[in-house]
Amino acid sequence: MAVLLRPWSIDDAPALLAARQSTPDLDTQLPADLTDEDAARRHIGSWPSSGAHARIWAIVEDGLTVGNVGLSAIESRHGTAWASYWLAGDARGRGLATRGLAAVARWAFGAGLHRLELGHRVNNPASCRVATGAGFVAEGIERQKLRYGAERFDVETHARLASDPVPDVAAVELHGDPLRIDGAP
């Protein structure tokens, strides 16, 4: 199984659309209108291309785009960022998100960041396993932080510091410039 991280391409639109259509829980992570491949291309093209505050990578397994891992709210003064990830349903359970998150953390610490944070709904134990597997330590619960529709969710916050132990996670290569969406107009 060859796994790598690379910049998203508008050519990934079919994979994004398939992930969204086959994995209903991605609605909270991908709130955009993804009704067809043109909408998916527009959505990919709208992702941040400036590297000052965000970096995103496609998670690719054996040539197929199956997920996303990224950093947002990159703040250079304090050396912090917010990490996020998602996988299409059929790619879950094989450690791909954990490996991708660990690789992005290595990249971020090598780029001079010191603290990476993330949060997951407390009713999402799989996301918690990704975070802890990638070396992110649970720091606490933020009560009713997220709202999806009329329902509010508690969020467990995790963080990893550059000085924390490196988790024993299989390496994933990062390819290309994560600042650019390849093929975007």
Side-chain angles (χ1 to χ4, degrees), residues 31-47:
D33 173 24
L34 296 177
T35 53
D36 57 33
E37 285 187 23
D38 286 338
R41 281 187 203 86
R42 284 191 301 276
H43 183 64
I44 291 169
S46 74
W47 287 343

Side-chain angles (χ1 to χ4, degrees), residues 1 3 5 94-104 106 134 169-172:
M1 166 175 60
V3 179
L5 303 181
R94 297 194 304 273
L96 300 176
T98 302
R99 293 174 65 193
L101 181 59
V104 166
R106 280 191 303 274
V169 175
V172 174

Side-chain angles (χ1 to χ4, degrees), residues 58-150:
I59 300 173
V60 179
E61 179 186 35
D62 294 332
L64 179 64
T65 301
V66 297
N68 183 79
V69 63
L71 299 174
S72 61
I74 297 172
E75 206 287 318
S76 59
R77 178 173 180 236
H78 298 292
T80 61
W82 185 261
S84 61
Y85 45 88
W86 61 260
L87 284 175
D90 59 357
R92 294 176 180 180
R94 297 194 304 273
L96 300 176
T98 302
R99 293 174 65 193
L101 181 59
V104 166
R106 280 191 303 274
W107 177 88
F109 297 143
L113 294 179
H114 178 72
R115 178 183 169 89
L116 303 179
E117 302 171 352
L118 62 83
H120 64 82
R121 295 181 321 273
V122 295
N123 67 343
N124 188 347
S127 189
C128 187
R129 286 190 298 273
V130 169
T132 57
F136 285 70
V137 176
E139 293 190 331
I141 305 294
E142 296 177 86
R143 298 176 308 132
Q144 298 186 9
K145 181 175 183 174
L146 299 178
R147 182 180 67 196
Y148 298 119

Side-chain angles (χ1 to χ4, degrees), residues 12-46:
D12 292 320
L16 177 62
L17 185 62
R20 174 68 175 280
Q21 290 174 340
S22 66
T23 314
D25 67 343
L26 286 181
D27 286 345
T28 60
Q29 301 241 344
L30 300 169
D33 173 24
L34 296 177
T35 53
D36 57 33
E37 285 187 23
D38 286 338
R41 281 187 203 86
R42 284 191 301 276
H43 183 64
I44 291 169
S46 74

Side-chain angles (χ1 to χ4, degrees), residues 6-8 47-58 68-74 76 81-84 104 107-108 110-113 174 176-181:
R6 63 155 171 77
W8 278 86
W47 287 343
S49 58
S50 167
H53 302 289
R55 309 272 169 101
I56 59 172
W57 292 265
N68 183 79
V69 63
L71 299 174
S72 61
I74 297 172
S76 59
W82 185 261
S84 61
V104 166
W107 177 88
L113 294 179
L174 276 76
D177 179 0
L179 307 180
R180 189 181 79 248
I181 304 293

